[in-house]
Amino acid sequence: MHELTVSPWASLAYLVAGVCFILALRGLSSPASSQRGNRFGIIGMTIAVVTTLVTHVPFVQHALVADTGPMIVERAIDWTTVVEILAAIGVGAAIGLVTARRIAMTAMPQLVAAFHSLVGLAAVLVGVAAYLNPQAFGISDLVIPLIGQPFAVIHPVSRIELGLGVAIGAITFSGSVIAFLKLNGNMGGKPIMLPGRHVINIALLAAILGLIAYFVTNQSAWIFWTITLLSFVIGFLLIVPIGGADMPVVVSMLNSYSGWAAAAMGFTLHNSAMIITGALVGSSGAILSYIMCRAMNRSFISVIAGGFGAVADTSGGAVASDRPWKRGSAEDAAFLMSQAEQVIIVPGYGMAVAQAQHVLREMGDKLKAEGVRVKYAIHPVAGRMPGHMNVLLAEANVPYDDVFELEDINSEFAQTDVAFVIGANDVTNPAAKTDKSSPIYGMPVLDVEKAKTVLFIKRSMGGVGYAGVDNELFYRDNTMMLLADAKKMVEDIVKALD
């Protein structure tokens, strides 16, 4: 019988790590405490990794036969394996460090999706290793000689853990790869509606669950590999029909999947830290996805079922270029805002692309110096992942007290002199409230059109938002379009304010 035991001090260390992770999530719930939350997360992960390394030092056994007396078995540290483990950690740490230093904030959503894919792939690889060598993982007691080869019988409970862990991990991997391709622009943001997709998805999901149940009674290789293959396929099919407007929810949802995959593999590895961490990530990601679905007036079940209920966009996203619109200059914008009592700034992905957050804060400071009240309005799904705009504004040291969520500031637009929109397209589109044929219909948007004047920075009138639809706001009588690179336009406005 091969048992894996965990010492009491290791269990205590894992518990401390779990508490640190809880404190990390608590800290990340607010921009003001996010740095403290990150520190707790780093401390917790360091404790968990060091504890695992110390408690799983690889040993080799040598049988020493003396001339007289019984045989002596000597245990020694397997330094070759230790060096391999440390080398792998070093390579991973170096890649992570270089990536963190070089990655632009505009590419952060893609990076998050890529990390989720790695978590899913790691879960699959651990599951495969455990299936091929169950005794090394302590999930098998009985070895049966089978045609000259030993056959290890995996515990029935461990088979459930393996099946679920591999399935969720494979879904996370392939789904995250598709999300990465969409976020990175390698695939279009519009939904790809496959014929009969719902029937196919339901059939595949039923087949996976049925095979996992069968795997409990029969651990044949074909069952295990079929579960793995079908899970990779359904992960692809679930994300392909989800459009760009729902992509922030997808990122959050995949985060949840990666957590549950890690938790399932934690049982296989007998590692309580993985179980705790995976459960925290899985549950928090699911809650965040639900909150974001409510904020977008989307059905949570519809989104996680792969865009269930979505319809193809027949509008083609064409821009009505023949409609009249007004164009303004940096000087016009500077004059209007300097004469205003209140200006509400609405940042979006265009600000992130132009990396205009720092000069935007400078503009806000200049307006404040002239006695103008300046506030920032954040939509829950502005950008490409949850909290994207909050992170960018925090990076530019915008005061947290000046930043407001949609539900807290929407009522103020009607009493606002100027709404300054910088690259936020879909989340300001009034069509979400009036056009039932629009793919964003029903999504709560920022009521910027109610402001006395709307200044909208956009590169050109030819582009559309990530959802692929034109913005009705461009053609309103109170809207002035500022066509230029966001950073360059704000820099010109700052100069005009001097």
Side-chain angles (χ1 to χ4, degrees):
M1 180 175 180
H2 188 164
E3 266 187 31
L4 294 178
T5 59
V6 180
S7 65
W9 75 264
S11 298
L12 179 60
Y14 285 144
L15 179 61
V16 172
V19 171
C20 288
F21 294 142
I22 294 172
L23 294 174
L25 287 176
R26 180 69 181 88
L28 292 172
S29 63
S30 168
S33 58
S34 58
Q35 288 186 340
R36 183 171 67 249
N38 271 324
R39 293 190 188 101
F40 276 120
I42 293 170
I43 293 171
M45 186 56 66
T46 301
I47 293 173
V49 170
V50 171
T51 302
T52 301
L53 291 175
V54 172
T55 56
H56 291 75
V57 176
F59 288 94
V60 291
Q61 296 182 346
H62 302 284
L64 303 177
V65 182
D67 294 337
T68 60
M71 181 179 66
I72 301 174
V73 177
E74 183 184 66
R75 296 177 77 231
I77 296 177
D78 185 355
W79 288 108
T80 301
T81 304
V82 169
V83 171
E84 291 175 350
I85 293 173
L86 294 178
I89 293 175
V91 171
I95 293 174
L97 183 63
V98 172
T99 302
R101 288 183 176 276
R102 293 185 178 180
I103 195 72
M105 281 304 303
T106 52
M108 193 58 66
Q110 298 94 296
L111 181 66
V112 172
F115 282 168
H116 290 161
S117 72
L118 294 178
V119 174
L121 183 60
V124 173
L125 293 177
V126 169
V128 170
Y131 177 75
L132 296 177
N133 190 6
Q135 286 185 292
F137 289 80
I139 59 175
S140 173
D141 296 338
L142 181 63
V143 177
I144 302 175
L146 193 64
I147 317 178
Q149 297 292 329
F151 180 78
V153 179
I154 302 173
H155 300 154
V157 173
S158 297
R159 295 184 201 177
I160 298 175
E161 297 163 2
L162 272 180
L164 289 175
V166 168
I168 299 173
I171 291 172
T172 303
F173 173 75
S174 55
S176 297
V177 169
I178 299 302
F180 172 85
L181 294 175
K182 283 182 174 256
L183 289 166
N184 204 45
N186 303 108
M187 289 182 65
K190 292 184 179 181
I192 300 175
M193 302 300 183
L194 301 177
R197 64 189 183 281
H198 302 320
V199 175
I200 296 173
N201 289 347
I202 292 173
L204 284 175
L205 182 60
I208 291 170
L209 294 176
L211 286 171
I212 291 175
Y214 188 32
F215 187 58
V216 177
T217 61
N218 184 343
Q219 67 177 69
S220 297
W222 75 266
I223 301 176
F224 177 82
W225 295 114
T226 303
I227 291 172
T228 306
L229 178 61
L230 293 181
S231 299
F232 279 125
V233 172
I234 197 172
F236 167 82
L237 295 177
L238 284 174
I239 306 302
V240 161
I242 299 179
D246 293 326
M247 197 50 63
V249 181
V250 172
V251 173
S252 176
M253 181 180 67
L254 291 170
N255 178 57
S256 178
Y257 288 174
S258 68
W260 296 124
M265 286 301 109
F267 284 102
T268 299
L269 295 173
H270 305 279
N271 190 303
S272 57
M274 282 188 66
I275 298 171
I276 294 172
T277 307
L280 287 172
V281 173
S283 57
S284 61
I287 293 170
L288 178 59
S289 299
Y290 176 73
I291 292 172
M292 295 184 69
C293 282
R294 289 188 60 186
M296 299 171 63
N297 196 31
R298 292 287 195 267
S299 166
F300 180 67
I301 300 300
S302 297
V303 174
I304 65 174
F308 199 98
V311 295
D313 180 19
T314 57
S315 66
V319 178
S321 57
D322 57 338
R323 298 173 62 181
W325 53 276
K326 292 187 295 185
R327 180 168 187 169
S329 64
E331 290 74 19
D332 297 330
F335 175 77
L336 288 170
M337 287 192 287
S338 64
Q339 300 301 310
E341 291 186 6
Q342 176 166 290
V343 173
I344 297 181
I345 299 172
V346 181
Y349 189 65
M351 182 192 74
V353 172
Q355 299 184 26
Q357 60 269 28
H358 295 282
V359 67
L360 185 68
R361 179 195 56 76
E362 184 181 352
M363 184 191 80
D365 291 344
K366 284 186 175 293
L367 290 173
K368 288 180 183 178
E370 296 189 17
V372 181
R373 290 193 307 274
V374 177
K375 297 183 178 181
Y376 297 79
I378 304 295
H379 192 281
V381 295
R384 295 294 182 270
M385 70 177 186
H388 198 179
M389 295 301 105
N390 301 76
V391 172
L392 289 172
L393 295 180
E395 181 188 29
N397 294 318
V398 171
Y400 301 129
D401 293 339
D402 293 347
V403 181
F404 298 87
E405 300 294 334
L406 177 146
E407 62 272 11
D408 298 323
I409 201 170
N410 239 7
S411 61
E412 293 193 31
F413 281 105
Q415 293 80 42
T416 296
D417 298 294
V418 177
F420 186 84
V421 185
I422 175 168
N425 201 331
D426 298 326
V427 298
T428 61
N429 194 338
K433 297 178 286 186
T434 58
D435 185 0
K436 292 185 178 181
S437 65
S438 173
I440 62 173
Y441 178 72
M443 181 179 80
V445 293
L446 291 160
D447 295 333
V448 295
E449 78 276 6
K450 294 181 180 180
K452 294 178 183 178
T453 301
V454 178
L455 301 175
F456 203 115
I457 296 183
K458 197 172 184 289
R459 282 186 176 272
S460 70
M461 292 298 292
V464 293
Y466 201 63
V469 294
D470 195 19
N471 193 339
E472 293 292 323
L473 184 62
F474 302 159
Y475 313 103
R476 296 292 177 96
D477 292 336
N478 62 332
T479 299
M480 181 181 291
M481 301 300 298
L482 307 174
L483 302 184
D485 173 78
K487 186 176 182 180
K488 180 65 168 58
M489 175 57 71
V490 178
E491 286 175 343
D492 290 343
I493 293 174
V494 170
K495 292 177 182 178
L497 285 171
D498 290 334

